[in-house]
Every structure is written in C-alpha cells, then in structure tokens.
Amino acid sequence: MLDDNEMLYKGLEWSNAQTIWVDPSSAGDDDMKAAADFPDNNNGNESSGDSYFRQPSIIQSPDNGRGWAFLRHEFTLPSTPVRKATLYATASSTKPSRQFVYRMWVNGYFVGLGPVFPVENESRVNTFDVTGLLQAGPNAMGVLAWTMRERRFWAYMEIELADGCHMAYGTGSNWKGIVGNRAYPNADSIGTQYFEAPAEDVQTQWYPFGFSEPGFDDSSWPKAVPCEQFDDLRLTPTANVGVHYLDPVATRIDDRGTLVLDFGRTCVGGISVDVESLGISESIDVCIRYGEVMDDDGDVRYHLSAFNTYQDSWHITPQTPKMETWGMRVFRYVQLVPARTQASQDAVRTASSSVRAAAIEYPFDDDAADFECSDETLNEVWRFCRSSIKALNGPIYVDSWTRERSPYEADAWLQQRSHLALDCGADAIRLGRYSVDWLIANRTWPTEWPLYLILAVHDSWMASNDESQIRRQYKALRAFLPERYVDESSGLIVKAPGEASHMDGDLVDWPPAERDGFVFGPVNTVINALSCAAYRAMADMARVVGDADDAARYTGRASALESAINTRLWDDHAQCYRDGLNAQGEPLQHGSLHANAFALAFVDVPKDRRAMVADYIHNKGMCCSPYVAAVLLEGLYRNGFGALANRMMADDDPRNLHSWHHMMSTGCGSTMEGWDVSIKGNTTYSHPWSASPAYLLEWGMLGVQPIEPGYAVFRVRPQLGDAHEARGVIPTPNGSIRVCYVREEGHVKVDLDIPSGLVARIENEQGDVIEMRSV
C-alpha cells in the first residue's frame, strides 16, 4: 500500500519535463577494448560449493555495453543569487542490476544516485538540494546511467532566486546524449544468477571527461530521444545515499609487482584513482580485482564464494584526470595487477597513495550509540557488527549486496533491530519503514517470513512512537496472520510443511545443515512460537488503530497458542520442546535447538521449565545459523540467562566455527551469511542482518528496552554475567540513554542518565523494581 501523500503534484511545469534516453544510433562498435596482457589472470581462485550450492548460470545479456548512457544539458542563470534549488530525478529500470540506474553531477560536482527499488509499479524520485552548486551564467547537468531494460531517465530542477523569481529546467529534446559503449565496452557480468551488472572495462580515451561541466564540446552528440512518460512519480521517503572516500589501512606490493590494498572493513561501491598524481606519460593497463576475503597465497579472492567475479580492467591514457568505479562491488580488499608493460608496472608500484575506496552508504550517526565492557571479545564483536550495519545500509535493506541484492522479511527484521539500536534518528526510521513497506507488497516464499513484518512494524513503533506505518499498513499486516491454518480445537497452527523455495514452504533455518536435524510435521514448533509473538504484536497494533474486536481476538489467539505449545509440544521426559506434531497429532520424537530457541524467545515458557530449556540449549551449543542465533540469544536474555548468552556471543575458541569471533578471524570486513564457507559453500561476507549483537548487547547485556513506544517508559535490567563492568549509549527519539554498570561486592551499581520526560524501571535479578523519572 503506497502513501498517497508521497505522490508528486504534476501541473503544467511537471509535464514539461519529458522522459528521455540516448539515441541508440550514437553507439560505437561493439568491441572497443584495447588489447592488454595481464599475468595470472585466473590465479586459481575457484568458487567453492557443497551439495546444496552448485555453480549457477550467471545472467549475462549480449551487448551490455549498449546499456550505458551519457546525458547532459546546459542552461544559463542570471546574476541574481540563488535562494533555493532542488533537483528531482528518476530512471528505469532497477530490475536488471538490482541497484541504482544513474549517477548525476551538476557543474562537475557529484549530486547523487538513484532510484531506489519501487514498492509496486510507481517510479521513485530522489530529491537533491543543489543550491550551493549553481552559479551565475552557464551551468551544466550530467548523467551516467546503465540498465538493460526500459532505459528511461527523467529530471526536473526548480530554482528560486533571491528576488523571488522562479525558474525550472527539465529533461527534454534540448538534452544531448551518447551511448557509452565506447568508454564501457561489452564486458562479463560481475553478478550472479539473480542479477547482472557489467564489469567496468573502461577505455578512458573514449570517456567524455568534463561532460557535466559547462562549456563541454557536445557538438557531435545527438539530441536525446523522448520516451514514454513516467505516469506515477512518488518521492523517495528515505534519505539519499552518499559516496564516502576511505584510505586503505594497509598496502603492500607483492613480489610480482601487484598492489594489494586493505580498507579494514567492507565497502559497497568501488575505488577512486587520482590518475593525475601518478604522472604517467603513456597509456597504462590495470586489472582491478575486488574481494571480501584473501586467499591463502595472499591474493584477493575475486572469484567469490557466491559466484560473482569481481574483475575490471582499465585502459588509462595520460589525459585521464581521475577515474572512479560507477557501480557496486562488495569488498574489503583490492588488488591492482599491471599489464606486462613497464609503464603499467611502474604506475601500480607508486599507486598506493592514489587509490581510495568509494563507498556507497546510507547516512549514519557515528556518535549515536556506544558499548564497552570488561570482556574485550564482546567489545570487538560489537564494533564489528556496528561497522557492518554502517557499511551495508543501502537505499533499502537487502539480504546482501553481493549475491541476491533483494530484501527478505526476516533479514529486514534483524537489520532494522540493529540499525535502530545504533541510530534511532529520522533517517534510520524511514529506511526501515520503506524496506518493510517494500516487503509487504513483495513477500517472499517461506511460511514464517511475513510474520516478521508484523514484528518489524511493531519494533519500529516501539522505538520511534510513530504510529503512521501501523495505520497505513494495518490491513495488509492483518492478512499475514496464519488465520487459515488455525485449528480451532487445539489452538495450534496446522499446515503441510511444503517445499523449500516454494510459496508457503516452512524454512526453520538455512542451510539445511544448520537445522540441528529438525523434523518437519504439520504442527511446527518454530512457526507456532513465532505466530504467538505475531498475534501479540498485532493485538497491540489493533489497539493503536482503535479496533477493540481485533485486539481481543488476537490476544485470545496468542493465549490459546501459548497454552497449546506449552501443553502439547513440551516433553517432560526429555525436558525440552519437540519439533512439532505428526499427522496423527502425536509429538515428533525429536527436539531441536530451534524448537527450544523459538519457544524461549517468543512464548511465555512456564517458570519451572526455563532453566531446563536453557540447559538444553547450552548442551547443544549454537548449532544453528547466524539468523537463528539471534533468536536463541534473545530468548536467553528474555528469560534471565544473560550470563550464558554473553558467553556464547563471546566464544573465542578457535575450534568453534559457530561464533562471531570466528567470522572476524576469516579476515572478512563485515558479518557473514554463514559461520564459515565450509558450512555454507556459497556464503558471502556481507550480510547486515547477521550483525545482531549490535542490538542484543544493548537490549540484553545492558538490559535497556522500551516498555512504551518511543522509550517513554523503558526497562533497565543489566545481565553482566562474567563481566565486572559495562557501559553504553542507547539512542532514542528524545535523546540518548547513558548507562554505566559496575559490580561491587556481589551487587551491580547502576549509573543512569535519562533524557527529559522518560521513565526508567530498573530491575534487579530478584525482580525488584525501582522507578526513576527524569525531569
């Protein structure tokens, strides 16, 4: 469901902006690459796989160089100062590459990129403030775009002068453009079986440097051609992503003369090379390889485990001032391999100070959150997860920008939790909200995934006290409840398990090797426990919209489910929850970690059983994926077993692959999809949803959680475990909550700094509560 308030008003002025693209007749020959001889072109980096993950067919369109387009336009402004200038832009289509379509400049200055994925069939328009970029006299706008589908671009600039006069410039027949396949010839895709994006085998002798600046000679460029108009333009409700430049934290030249750069953490984007500083006097050729991790032999693994091949080749002439990657690669490491020419080898040997990462990132408040305790491993894990969220937040939450580049419900739920624990500002709230809106309109296949959207909307409301998404999406969320599967006689959710990758197939965990032998039946403990939490959340949101009947019905459903789970799915003899019931209504004779983790996290387990379940989980260890690990740890914290949760999260035993410490030991720059490539052969090292300690340490170890929306009333229940001190800063819409804990003589001393107007309920391990109200 789209918010009608986001629709752009299209009066006479808006209609004057014509949708355009470049004239296809301006394309060059299909093979424009300069020949170059690179050593070690394969270097033995082969993608790994297992019985579930074999080499897929990579999407590859012929003549993908013809998807590139350079567009430009010049206009003249009077000498009157500009009071305000706003540039609106959109393009189509994001579907082939699952990324942005255009980058845009004004007077040579980078403005931004877009658009974000549309929720339905609308066209999402980014808004850019370009007031400070305009000048009296000639001005220019320039666009570089790539897509293999639809190929349409639209822009409109509104200008208000200091004397009150208004001016406007929109795309149309006065724009010029060329197909960019001379500068970007046909190239192999860097994508996967889910998307394609071309390697950028740039030929800089054909690159129109200065095309976004006034005075550029475009006399040989034909006029842009009109295209079908966008008929549903809607403002993008999130902030614009930006490009941030990072210096490498380490560089080295190997004995073959290749330059290896380590940027210290994951980057989404590419590199920027100050070619002018290299001082080349003849053309050079450089092969650029990007990777998330290194090989054992010290080379960058540019054949990724997810089957991407991250390799570009640049032919650079002496006239090149600067060159920057246009699209998105996900990497921590870059290796520059020179061609077998002396000029190329000399340039690469001196390039370490000329190369920076150009990272595409969503706005992030670096100072909003903090965490530190006396356990250094937990500190390292928190910093690793925080860095992962910052680096991997794009214009929408996705599973990973490496392989799928697509949102998923459980992933968005987890990513939003970590994001809001680190940055609870308006931009952060909008990004989570838009991502969830997209998924509400575009659900994926697992049975339990839509239930996470209910929890995500509820979480956002509790963090922000903003009810707008609840009111706008209430009916859609209500339809995600498993009403059609409710067995009225038992109160349980009963359905056929279905099949993986088919609509309404039960997932439980992925890959299958991480399910701890879970046995699927028509009654699934994981889905029943998660449904219990979804019904409770939906009852809260029914009260927000004033639907008392729904609130009562959903509260009743949750209570019936909880009673049935605790009665029918508990095994007194084994002292654990079974995986479910068979077709005859009999308990399945298997109790997985997952059944018990989900019950502990989402069901009110009777007090006399909680220690049994915690012991059962402890004995099994974290034999699950990073996704279910978040549920497992939350259940432990929720029921007072924080000491165990802290130890599991801080596990640094090198023999244990199932830990965040092990992730860091692989040399990756951000949190991984699986604990290790030996467990999930096509794993990627760039999954923000896997950064759950970012919120778990805040909500669990520090024990700060909202009780009422917007933290108007919040709980403080520290669970330090073996740590003797901890402190943290927790962002809220009303300011930061600051906590400091020190264990003294068997007691925990609590220092608390609360923003004005909030109420803290401080709980000790015995359940005593002290209420503290700020003034």
Side-chain angles (χ1 to χ4, degrees):
M1 177 181 176
L2 298 175
D3 187 348
D4 290 337
N5 292 328
E6 293 172 1
M7 182 176 289
L8 292 179
Y9 171 74
K10 295 193 294 184
L12 179 61
E13 294 84 2
W14 286 107
S15 65
N16 285 339
Q18 172 67 49
T19 305
I20 60 170
W21 196 254
V22 296
D23 187 336
S25 68
S26 64
D29 296 336
D30 283 332
D31 188 4
M32 305 294 295
K33 293 182 185 177
D37 180 17
F38 294 107
D40 300 323
N41 201 42
N42 252 330
N43 86 342
N45 283 354
E46 293 301 329
S47 301
S48 59
D50 59 27
S51 59
Y52 293 98
F53 309 105
R54 297 301 188 193
Q55 173 74 56
S57 297
I58 305 301
I59 299 174
Q60 178 76 57
S61 295
D63 300 330
N64 59 19
R66 292 177 179 250
W68 292 98
F70 288 95
L71 290 159
R72 73 178 308 273
H73 174 61
E74 287 197 26
F75 57 98
T76 302
L77 291 180
S79 58
T80 308
V82 174
R83 178 178 296 162
K84 180 71 174 177
T86 305
L87 177 59
Y88 303 91
T90 191
S92 186
S93 167
T94 60
K95 291 181 180 178
S97 62
R98 296 188 179 182
Q99 65 175 4
F100 55 89
V101 175
Y102 68 87
R103 291 197 187 215
M104 194 166 190
W105 295 261
V106 169
N107 290 337
Y109 293 95
F110 178 67
V111 170
L113 54 86
V116 70
F117 306 162
V119 173
E120 294 176 355
N121 296 314
E122 81 284 5
S123 300
R124 286 290 166 175
V125 177
N126 288 81
T127 306
F128 306 104
D129 183 350
V130 295
T131 308
L133 303 182
L134 300 183
Q135 60 192 17
N139 291 264
M141 292 183 276
V143 175
L144 175 55
W146 184 88
T147 185
M148 294 300 290
R149 191 182 304 182
E150 295 188 39
R151 297 178 184 171
R152 295 187 290 164
F153 177 76
W154 176 94
Y156 187 83
M157 184 186 292
E158 293 179 337
I159 302 170
E160 181 185 353
L161 301 179
D163 60 7
C165 291
H166 290 260
M167 307 179 75
Y169 299 93
T171 44
S173 59
N174 53 350
W175 281 59
K176 290 188 171 184
I178 58 170
V179 175
N181 71 326
R182 288 182 175 89
Y184 293 95
N186 297 334
D188 293 336
S189 175
I190 64 164
T192 63
Q193 70 271 37
Y194 298 102
F195 72 94
E196 75 164 307
E200 296 177 25
D201 295 345
V202 186
Q203 308 293 295
T204 66
Q205 71 272 28
W206 294 106
Y207 194 99
F209 293 106
F211 79 101
S212 64
E213 300 173 15
F216 175 83
D217 182 6
D218 61 8
S219 58
S220 64
W221 288 27
K223 290 184 176 181
V225 296
C227 303
E228 180 184 355
Q229 287 283 65
F230 292 106
D231 60 3
D232 188 5
L233 297 173
R234 294 176 185 262
L235 290 173
T236 301
T238 57
N240 295 319
V241 295
V243 178
H244 304 275
Y245 296 94
L246 308 174
D247 292 320
V249 299
T251 65
R252 64 178 172 85
I253 297 287
D254 65 20
D255 55 9
R256 295 162 299 164
T258 74
L259 173 62
V260 179
L261 306 106
D262 176 5
F263 292 97
R265 52 93 152 174
T266 292
C267 302
V268 179
I271 61 170
S272 175
V273 180
D274 181 2
V275 178
E276 200 167 37
S277 69
L278 297 177
I280 60 175
S281 58
E282 59 183 277
S283 296
I284 64 172
D285 291 278
V286 180
C287 179
I288 305 164
R289 296 169 178 168
Y290 306 82
E292 297 175 315
V293 292
M294 301 288 289
D295 268 347
D296 292 339
D297 61 7
D299 283 330
V300 172
R301 182 178 288 277
Y302 67 96
H303 288 300
L304 274 60
S305 303
F307 306 110
N308 314 69
T309 298
Y310 278 166
Q311 178 173 263
D312 301 334
S313 63
W314 289 4
H315 179 75
I316 304 173
T317 64
Q319 295 74 34
T320 304
K322 175 183 174 183
M323 200 63 218
E324 186 169 316
T325 312
W326 180 88
M328 297 166 61
R329 292 112 179 90
V330 184
F331 63 95
R332 171 177 172 171
Y333 306 95
V334 171
Q335 188 166 12
L336 272 58
V337 181
R340 297 181 192 273
T341 67
Q342 193 62 50
S344 300
Q345 293 168 4
D346 290 345
V348 167
R349 284 185 178 277
T350 61
S352 59
S353 61
S354 302
V355 182
R356 293 189 295 169
I360 300 168
E361 295 175 3
Y362 192 78
F364 185 85
D365 186 345
D366 289 296
D367 301 320
D370 198 10
F371 171 85
E372 188 175 11
C373 73
S374 53
D375 188 319
E376 186 53 34
T377 301
L378 285 178
N379 295 337
E380 291 174 358
V381 167
W382 184 84
R383 290 193 293 265
F384 178 57
C385 292
R386 177 187 178 279
S387 173
S388 299
I389 292 295
K390 177 181 179 179
L392 299 173
N393 274 347
I396 192 171
Y397 292 160
V398 300
D399 178 36
S400 170
W401 291 107
T402 304
R403 186 178 57 244
E404 284 96 338
R405 293 188 176 183
S406 184
Y408 288 86
E409 294 90 337
D411 305 349
W413 171 68
L414 287 169
Q415 186 172 351
Q416 179 182 257
R417 286 186 147 205
S418 291
H419 191 188
L420 294 183
L422 297 169
D423 182 357
C424 200
D427 287 344
I429 292 166
R430 290 189 191 107
L431 180 59
R433 184 183 301 153
Y434 186 78
S435 302
V436 170
D437 282 347
W438 191 95
L439 283 160
I440 289 172
N442 300 274
R443 69 153 289 191
T444 62
W445 61 268
T447 299
E448 57 266 50
W449 258 215
L451 300 175
Y452 284 113
L453 298 179
I454 295 171
L455 301 187
V457 173
H458 189 273
D459 286 344
S460 180
W461 166 55
M462 291 298 290
S464 67
N465 195 25
D466 185 340
E467 301 174 350
S468 61
Q469 189 176 33
I470 294 176
R471 297 183 181 279
R472 181 165 42 84
Q473 296 284 18
Y474 181 76
K475 290 183 179 179
L477 293 171
R478 186 170 57 181
F480 288 145
L481 290 169
E483 289 285 271
R484 65 189 184 279
Y485 298 129
V486 173
D487 175 56
E488 297 291 349
S489 63
S490 67
L492 292 166
I493 308 301
V494 182
K495 68 173 287 293
E499 299 179 49
S501 300
H502 289 73
M503 189 59 71
D504 289 326
D506 297 357
L507 181 75
V508 173
D509 204 350
W510 194 260
E514 295 283 52
R515 288 178 179 151
D516 189 31
F518 188 91
V519 177
F520 289 84
V523 174
N524 181 319
T525 302
V526 166
I527 290 170
N528 274 266
L530 187 53
S531 296
C532 187
Y535 274 114
R536 279 208 186 91
M538 206 68 215
D540 286 345
M541 293 189 287
R543 285 185 277 272
V544 169
V545 301
D547 194 326
D549 291 341
D550 273 4
R553 182 166 63 258
Y554 298 149
T555 299
R557 283 274 192 245
S559 297
L561 255 176
E562 186 169 83
S563 176
I565 290 168
N566 284 324
T567 302
R568 302 284 302 277
L569 303 180
W570 174 257
D571 186 324
D572 265 328
H573 178 71
Q575 296 186 341
C576 71
Y577 286 92
R578 293 300 189 183
D579 291 347
L581 305 178
N582 63 20
Q584 290 73 45
E586 300 165 343
L588 297 168
Q589 294 306 299
H590 186 265
S592 65
L593 173 81
H594 299 64
N596 290 273
F598 276 81
L600 202 61
F602 296 126
V603 175
D604 188 7
V605 173
K607 288 184 179 180
D608 60 348
R609 294 180 187 169
R610 293 173 188 172
M612 300 179 198
V613 177
D615 286 343
Y616 195 80
I617 290 172
H618 185 199
N619 291 333
K620 280 189 169 284
M622 212 180 302
C623 55
C624 59
S625 75
Y627 148 55
V628 173
V631 175
L632 181 159
L633 294 168
E634 183 166 345
L636 292 174
Y637 282 126
R638 182 172 180 253
N639 289 276
F641 301 103
L644 175 57
N646 295 344
R647 286 196 296 272
M648 295 180 83
M649 205 183 311
D651 191 344
D652 59 1
D653 186 338
R655 297 168 298 178
N656 179 23
L657 301 183
H658 288 67
S659 73
W660 282 274
H661 183 271
H662 174 72
M663 282 190 194
M664 292 186 287
S665 75
T666 68
C668 63
S670 54
T671 47
M672 298 166 58
E673 174 187 24
W675 299 111
D676 189 78
V677 71
S678 66
I679 298 171
K680 191 174 191 300
N682 71 339
T683 201
T684 77
Y685 300 78
S686 51
H687 285 256
W689 56 261
S690 187
S692 54
Y695 81 83
L696 288 166
L697 287 167
E698 177 181 304
W699 294 2
M701 186 179 188
L702 299 182
V704 178
Q705 294 186 39
I707 296 174
E708 294 183 6
Y711 288 82
V713 179
F714 64 95
R715 177 182 294 109
V716 179
R717 187 178 69 165
Q719 299 186 63
L720 299 190
D722 300 328
H724 59 266
E725 61 182 73
R727 65 175 183 82
V729 179
I730 296 91
T732 82
N734 299 301
S736 297
I737 298 169
R738 299 176 184 273
V739 295
C740 182
Y741 308 128
V742 178
R743 190 184 301 281
E744 296 178 346
E745 299 178 355
H747 300 284
V748 176
K749 178 184 175 182
V750 178
D751 284 334
L752 192 58
D753 185 4
I754 308 173
S756 176
L758 304 189
V759 176
R761 291 181 182 170
I762 306 171
E763 302 178 13
N764 62 18
E765 295 178 353
Q766 291 73 42
D768 301 322
V769 178
I770 300 174
E771 190 165 285
M772 178 177 174
R773 187 181 302 269
S774 67
V775 294

